[in-house]
Amino acid sequence: MRRLTHLVHALGLFVFCAMAYAGPPVEGAMEKQSTNWHAIIMFCIFVALSMGITYWASSRTKTTSDFYTAGGGITGLQNGLAIAGDYMSAATLLGLTALVYGKGFDGYLYMLSFFAGWPIILFLMAERLRNLGRFTFSDITAFRLDQGKVRTMAAISSLVVVCFYLIAQMVGAGQLIKLLFGLDYNIAIFGVGILMMVYVTLGGMVATTWVQIIKACMLLSGGTLAMLLAFSQFGFSFHTLMEKATAVHTLGFKLMTPGGLLSNPINAISLGLGLMFGTAGLPHILMRFFTVTDAKEARKSVLYASGFVAYFFNVIFLMGLCAILIVGQNPEFFEGGTVGGKLIGGGNMVAMHLAKAVGGDMLLGFMAAVAFATILAVVSGLALAGASAISHDIYARVIKKGTASEASEIRASKIATICLGFVAIILGILFEKQNVAFMVGLAFGVAAAANFPVLILSMFWKGLTTRGALFGGYGGLLSAVAFVVLSKSVWVDVLGYKEALFPFTQPALFAMPIAFLLAYIFSKSDSSARAKSEISAFDDQYIRGQTGFGASGASKH
Amino acid sequence: MSSEIYERMRVNPKFKELVSTRGRFAWTLSIIVLVLFYGFVLMVAYNPTALGQPVSDGSMLTVGVAAELFLFIFFWTLSALYVNRANTEFDAMTQEVIKQARREDK
């Protein structure tokens, strides 16, 4: 086994190096990117470091608890960094900087919505999650309900969320790597998929967490450095910066006024709900509540995580504003050299161009490596969450009904990881040419409408029964998917119909009440004997949720 | 066995006190966050021009941006308040409840 570990480890490095050597730009469009080698060298350092950690982690990953939750021994600060890392994907860095660059205020509002869910998670959920869960959030929804049916439902909606999120990340990864490193799209997708499989299968949650921590530190320091260098050009004065930015931006002073993004109140509320409660239903985020020792550390990790997220969002806001002048007024960054034309590499490249303008090739290389590392880390976290839904929920609890040995459960999760890796690669290739912007929205929508309502009801509402949970969960899942498919982003933009059947862009405001209502109606009308025993089992669950007595503790090494 | 311990915790007045104090605190903070956040979202939707005004004459800072920065800081401060109180006061109460239930066990 040990030898095999070495072999796969070496193989992973080899594949990566082969990728890197295939690197120098082949396509004409990439010729301007003369900085590839900085990025590739820095990325190589990151991969070497993370491989070293994976190697170290593989010796510490023996039990299921090690594999899923790093033995529950992560500290609050480490876990806070890892949660922040999970939450801030490459789309956050690139997409939100671009949004501020283009829309000013609206980008800032979007970030506030992404942030506002964290305090609610802390006040109402963090403690109970830690006290009731063990490996996956289905442990909590199925705590007193039918293990087979409720777990299957929770695992399915977890996998749906993971898959949509994976598609968005993989397609983004392929395009980004193609642009930054000059690698072929398919090679990039395979590289990401294979590195992810190596991290997760060999190192489990220990490696995934540390990869996430390193990446979060890189992201925070790289972003801060770029922001400081850019902001220094304006003497660190917000007034000077804004005076100049509003003078040149097409929106003028309106830059700092709410724009068209959320002019429709229903869309605005629905987006707020989706982002806020979607965060509280993302399986790879929820899983991080089980990697700490106790409720105390769980609370601390949310506090640290939300602090890092809030800080970084404000850094991004300043980066985006500085980029309006530093990037937006520099012909070097526009195709054909016309200021105001199309940015080289597309709108998402604002953060990268800014790094190059203020810190030269070194900073660009570093930021490109950060972006790649970010994708890799987020994809690994997602794969681990998806794999645990398959191995812990479906294999160990539903199929084997709790009789699976630890070794066979770990084997199942490794197989599941490899399968998910290939699914991610295939989906990434299939969706190459598609606009995948709606995929993240869909993932949040499903998380908010399918995972969150059943999870919160199972923790807070005594009356929830298996029947109610199933109707609520499946109802939320189907309605969230249906609303997105019928909305403009899929029905018109992808399927090419003339008019959207669902007039709003965000599903949460409609799908969440459907889930809650179905769960309520079908629980209330459930008068079976099973329902009665489920309701009476709530009392013990409630006390455990409140006190943490009986909660799974950290295993000692 | 554990069910009996849970039963003893449930009837312990300390447990009731813990649950009601912590619940009240957590819900109060949650409601503050929800009201401020959705209030702000509704302002954005219904009265965007008010948010586009400068905070004072000649300032480049608009009311909307200032409010958002305030919400970022304020929400995080509330989080810190909660963690501080929960990790000291509430956790001490919890330990007390568990200890008492365990003692009766012997």
Side-chain angles (χ1 to χ4, degrees), chain A residues 223-237 241 315 318-327 354-355 357-359 363:
Chain A
T224 305
L225 184 62
M227 181 276 283
L228 288 177
L229 288 171
F231 205 20
S232 71
Q233 299 194 1
F234 306 97
F236 296 107
S237 156
L241 169 64
V315 167
L318 285 173
M319 278 173 71
L321 294 177
C322 290
I324 293 174
L325 292 153
I326 297 173
V327 177
L354 182 72
V358 299
L363 190 60

Side-chain angles (χ1 to χ4, degrees), chain A residues 109 127 299 540 546 549, chain B residues 3 6 10 19 22 68 87:
Chain A
L109 179 64
E127 191 169 293
R299 291 185 206 108
D540 283 358
Q546 291 282 0
F549 184 77
Chain B
S3 200
Y6 284 138
R10 185 182 5 261
V19 169
R22 185 168 58 193
E68 280 180 306
N87 279 4

Side-chain angles (χ1 to χ4, degrees), chain A residues 170-237:
Chain A
M170 290 302 272
V171 174
Q175 282 159 355
L176 188 71
I177 293 162
K178 187 168 139 188
L179 197 77
L180 294 176
F181 296 82
L183 292 174
D184 183 59
Y185 180 89
N186 288 352
I187 296 179
I189 295 276
F190 267 98
V192 171
I194 287 168
L195 280 174
M196 169 202 101
M197 289 186 236
V198 173
Y199 290 147
V200 178
T201 50
L202 297 185
M205 187 52 124
V206 182
T208 309
T209 303
W210 280 101
V211 167
Q212 204 63 267
I213 292 173
I214 297 176
K215 163 240 149 156
C217 292
M218 286 170 71
L219 186 65
L220 288 166
S221 53
T224 305
L225 184 62
M227 181 276 283
L228 288 177
L229 288 171
F231 205 20
S232 71
Q233 299 194 1
F234 306 97
F236 296 107
S237 156

Side-chain angles (χ1 to χ4, degrees), chain A residues 329-401:
Chain A
Q329 294 300 303
N330 189 342
E332 198 188 315
F333 298 116
F334 289 92
E335 278 179 12
T338 21
V339 169
K342 190 173 176 289
L343 272 181
I344 292 172
N348 275 341
M349 286 298 112
V350 174
M352 294 297 149
H353 291 328
L354 182 72
K356 167 141 193 206
V358 299
D361 290 346
M362 280 302 279
L363 190 60
L364 173 67
F366 184 70
M367 291 301 275
V370 167
F372 197 172
T374 297
I375 292 169
L376 213 47
V378 171
V379 167
S380 305
L382 283 168
L384 186 59
S388 60
I390 296 174
S391 60
H392 178 61
D393 294 330
I394 295 183
Y395 173 77
R397 295 300 156 109
V398 179
I399 297 177
K400 292 278 178 182
K401 300 205 168 21

Side-chain angles (χ1 to χ4, degrees), chain A residues 105 108-113 115-116 119-120 122-124 127 238-239 242-243 246 253 256-258 262-265 268-269 272-273 276-277 295-296 299-300 303 306-307 310 313-314 317 460 539-540 542-550, chain B residues 2-3 5-7 9-10 15 18-19 22 26-27 29-30 33-34 37-38 40-42 44-46 48-49 51-54 58-62 64-65 68-69 71-72 75-76 78-80 82-83 86-88 91 94 97-98 102:
Chain A
F105 180 92
Y108 203 30
L109 179 64
Y110 218 86
M111 292 192 270
L112 182 66
S113 311
F115 169 72
I120 303 293
L122 171 68
F123 302 148
L124 301 181
E127 191 169 293
F238 188 73
H239 188 83
M242 287 316 301
E243 224 165 38
T246 48
F253 198 71
M256 288 294 110
T257 307
L262 290 173
S263 52
N264 179 328
I269 295 277
L273 283 173
M276 185 179 259
F277 297 111
K296 192 181 238 144
R299 291 185 206 108
K300 274 198 220 159
L303 184 65
S306 61
F313 281 173
N314 282 283
F317 182 54
F460 281 88
D539 284 347
D540 283 358
Y542 177 73
I543 291 168
R544 173 165 157 183
Q546 291 282 0
T547 62
F549 184 77
Chain B
S2 80
S3 200
I5 288 196
Y6 284 138
E7 185 54 42
M9 287 185 201
R10 185 182 5 261
F15 174 73
L18 165 72
V19 169
R22 185 168 58 193
W27 280 105
L29 294 179
S30 302
V33 169
L34 291 172
F37 176 68
Y38 287 102
F40 186 73
V41 169
L42 287 177
V44 168
Y46 285 107
T49 39
L51 295 176
Q53 301 301 315
S59 170
M60 293 309 291
L61 186 66
T62 58
V65 173
E68 280 180 306
L69 183 61
L71 290 179
F72 267 114
F75 287 173
W76 193 79
L78 291 183
S79 305
Y82 179 79
V83 171
N87 279 4
T88 51
D91 270 4
T94 310
V97 169
I98 293 176
R102 275 228 177 102

